Amino acid sequence: MTPKVAQPYWAKHAYEVLVETAGRYNAVITYSELAEEVQRRSKLYTRSAMRNWIGGLLADIVKVNHVRSEPPLTSLVVHKDDGQVGAGYDEVLRVSGQPPIHDQLERETHAAASRLECYRHWGADVPGDARPTLTPRMRESRERSPRAATPEVRRGSICPTCFMEMPLSGVCINCE
């Protein structure tokens, strides 16, 4: 089956899967899990690579959420390797009239706030003091990657004659 033909059917099932996911506090689903589940539920399978059609499917869900004034369910869909929303999350921002977020952490923070809205909207057991949180995989990824060390800046000494900074060679180019 071609994704173009199957997409309207998949959208119905994707919406259901995402609402079920939103009903569990702090739950997320990977792109591949969602793709497998919508095909299984609809019994409409494709040999086309998921990356070729999942974005269009999620864009449809974004529009449905927007029309219904619902939080964006697509914030629950993350990459399995790093727990981050994909570039398609920009569709959530575009539909709501916001500019794209290019900073990775800022985008993930926005998605975390959207996920919390989803959990509350679809009846998850959310603690009263709950705050938006990054996915566990995203937190692990951030903890594993070493922070970029601030490079040590080597400075030349100050020339005693003209009081300008000298090159590291120690010879003042102004006074030589």
Side-chain angles (χ1 to χ4, degrees):
M1 166 105 11
T2 66
K4 187 173 185 171
V5 172
Q7 190 161 320
Y9 303 100
W10 287 344
K12 173 188 175 295
H13 293 289
Y15 184 88
E16 292 170 358
V17 170
L18 292 173
V19 166
E20 290 168 15
T21 304
R24 298 183 316 274
Y25 179 56
N26 274 341
V28 292
I29 188 168
T30 66
Y31 287 91
S32 55
E33 290 169 337
L34 179 63
E36 289 171 19
E37 188 61 16
V38 298
Q39 291 179 78
R40 187 189 68 75
R41 288 186 184 196
S42 68
K43 296 180 179 43
L44 299 173
Y45 297 89
T46 186
R47 292 179 190 210
S48 181
M50 173 194 62
R51 70 178 177 276
N52 295 332
W53 56 266
I54 196 77
L57 177 63
L58 294 175
D60 287 351
I61 301 300
V62 168
K63 292 171 190 153
V64 167
N65 291 151
H66 183 73
V67 166
R68 295 179 178 176
S69 298
E70 297 171 338
L73 286 166
T74 57
S75 64
L76 302 167
V77 185
V78 298
H79 293 287
K80 66 181 170 191
D81 57 338
D82 60 12
Q84 297 178 36
V85 294
Y89 187 74
D90 288 345
E91 184 66 10
V92 169
L93 302 167
R94 189 191 69 72
V95 166
S96 64
Q98 299 175 40
I101 300 173
H102 301 290
D103 179 75
Q104 174 187 10
L105 182 56
E106 191 178 334
R107 177 188 289 167
E108 292 306 315
T109 302
H110 189 282
S114 295
R115 282 192 292 273
L116 183 57
E117 285 181 58
C118 286
Y119 302 137
R120 287 184 172 140
H121 183 85
W122 278 284
D125 188 15
V126 179
D129 61 347
R131 298 256 185 260
T133 56
L134 300 175
T135 65
R137 182 68 55 136
M138 172 72 178
R139 287 193 307 267
E140 286 171 19
S141 172
R142 288 183 55 77
E143 290 166 5
R144 272 196 318 265
S145 64
R147 301 281 187 261
T150 305
E152 180 183 329
V153 178
R154 294 190 59 204
R155 309 288 310 245
S157 55
I158 303 296
C159 174
T161 307
C162 67
F163 304 105
M164 296 295 290
E165 182 178 345
M166 296 187 293
L168 293 176
S169 66
V171 178
C172 179
I173 57 173
N174 293 326
C175 298
E176 83 180 347

